[in-house]
Structures are given as structure tokens and as C-alpha cells.
Amino acid sequence: MDTVDLLLHPVRLRIVHAMSGGRTLTTSQLCALLPDTSKATVYRHVGLLADAGLLEVAGEQRVRGAVERRYRLQRARAVIDADTAAALSAEDHRRAFAAAMATLLAEFHTYLDRDGADPSADLVGYRQHTLWLSQDELIEMIGEMRSAIVSRMGNEPAPDRTRHLLSPILFPTEEPPSPTADEGTDPRR
């Protein structure tokens, strides 16, 4: 299974998110982070990710007669690069978006099901905004957003840090203006 197929699955994508920040977790710890997913499913998907090299065994210990492995994410392998994304078909993009939305929905339900979940106090946001942007303005905005996000992606877990899921989604909702349109033409003609 290639990286695209591995990552275009909601459970595997949630495992990748949970492992971010240089964390080393056991499959049992991952099960606790994905309480809405059966243990057998988590174990199966951890196995697939490990077999493909996206997760590596960071250590082993014997627990009640069984070997418990701690896994670490191979961040460089758990990405879909720009060239691969550009080569995806429209159907692949549909699958990717569906996996991302299913992941987002599952994570949000898991958050809301926690004791003490308080969207207001936790600064939860899911607003949508319509922006009118030229190509140059769009490129500039994406650069600004990327800079703000990438500068924090290296943050590792710490006592004062909570893991957050940020899912920027951006796409045009209308056809771009025709490059041959004469902007000086009266629209009533």
C-alpha cells in the first residue's frame, strides 16, 4: 500500500495526528486517544502503518507476559508531497477530502464526549469566511498562514501544551474570471 492509500483513511490519519510532536505511544495509549474506535481496529491500522514504515518501534517492554511496543511516527514518510498531490485524480481528491472530514468529525465528537469539554473556554473555532482574492493575494495569504503554522509544527508535547487539530480548508467556490473578458465593457450590453 502506498503512502497516499495509507493516509487516506480516517483511522490511520487520526493515528498519525496522535503520534505528532515526536511522541512515542503504545497501541494501548492510542486506543485511549481514539475511544470511539475498537481496539482491534486500532491494532490493525497501527500494524499497517508500522509495516509500511510510517511508524517505527521506539522500544519494547514485557507487560503481563506480552510484549508491548512503543511507536514513533516517521514524520518525513507520513506526508503527501506537493508533486504527489498534484498527480492525484479528482476522485483521489474526493477520497482525501472525505478522509480529512471524517477524521475531523471523529476527533470533534471525541473532544465533545470528554468530561469537562467546554468549546467556549477551549477557544474552539469552526467558522467559515468568504474571501475575494486575486491570485497574488491568495498566494500571499497562503504564505502568511503557512509561516504561522509551520513555525509551531516543531513544538513537542510539554506540561503546558495541549494537542490541537488545525484543518485549514481552502478552495474556490466559483469559476475564476475569464482572462479574455474586457473589463471596460458595459455589463448591460
Side-chain angles (χ1 to χ4, degrees), residues 58-76:
E60 295 180 339
Q61 66 183 23
R62 199 164 272 297
V63 176
R64 293 186 290 278
V67 174
E68 182 178 64
R69 291 182 179 92
R70 289 186 348 273
Y71 293 95
R72 178 181 14 241
L73 179 66
Q74 292 299 300
R75 185 85 182 139

Side-chain angles (χ1 to χ4, degrees), residues 1-9 12-13 16 45 47-55 76-81 83-85 87-89 92 95-96:
M1 191 178 301
D2 68 6
T3 302
V4 171
D5 287 330
L6 280 165
L7 293 177
L8 295 189
H9 189 282
R12 291 191 290 268
L13 196 52
V16 167
H45 290 292
L48 287 169
L49 291 167
D51 289 346
L54 275 71
L55 295 180
R77 297 205 49 175
V79 296
I80 298 173
D81 63 32
D83 291 337
T84 301
L88 295 178
S89 68
D92 288 334
R95 282 189 327 125

Side-chain angles (χ1 to χ4, degrees), residues 10-169:
V11 173
R12 291 191 290 268
L13 196 52
R14 289 177 73 193
I15 291 169
V16 167
H17 290 164
M19 300 296 298
S20 68
R23 295 171 100 181
T24 58
L25 299 172
T26 66
T27 308
S28 294
Q29 290 170 316
L30 283 167
C31 287
L33 293 171
L34 284 71
D36 58 321
T37 305
S38 75
K39 289 182 181 185
T41 298
V42 173
Y43 274 83
R44 183 173 64 252
H45 290 292
V46 165
L48 287 169
L49 291 167
D51 289 346
L54 275 71
L55 295 180
E56 73 172 352
V57 176
E60 295 180 339
Q61 66 183 23
R62 199 164 272 297
V63 176
R64 293 186 290 278
V67 174
E68 182 178 64
R69 291 182 179 92
R70 289 186 348 273
Y71 293 95
R72 178 181 14 241
L73 179 66
Q74 292 299 300
R75 185 85 182 139
R77 297 205 49 175
V79 296
I80 298 173
D81 63 32
D83 291 337
T84 301
L88 295 178
S89 68
E91 194 54 40
D92 288 334
H93 281 285
R94 283 185 180 93
R95 282 189 327 125
F97 192 79
M101 292 303 96
T103 299
L104 190 60
L105 189 58
E107 290 288 352
F108 192 65
H109 285 302
T110 298
Y111 161 73
L112 287 176
D113 290 342
R114 284 193 336 235
D115 288 339
D118 184 345
S120 180
D122 293 335
L123 304 176
V124 171
Y126 44 84
R127 294 185 179 107
Q128 294 179 343
H129 306 279
T130 301
L131 307 173
W132 291 86
L133 303 168
S134 70
Q135 188 69 15
D136 289 341
E137 291 167 332
L138 176 62
I139 290 168
E140 181 182 15
M141 184 186 74
I142 290 171
E144 291 166 354
M145 292 170 55
R146 183 173 289 139
S147 178
I149 295 167
V150 169
S151 70
R152 290 161 179 86
M153 285 178 64
N155 289 359
E156 294 186 0
D160 64 334
R161 288 187 175 144
T162 302
R163 184 171 59 101
H164 290 80
L165 183 60
L166 177 65
S167 297
I169 300 167

Side-chain angles (χ1 to χ4, degrees), residues 178-189:
S178 172
T180 60
D182 181 3
E183 296 199 18
T185 304
D186 184 346
R188 293 174 289 182
R189 284 194 225 174

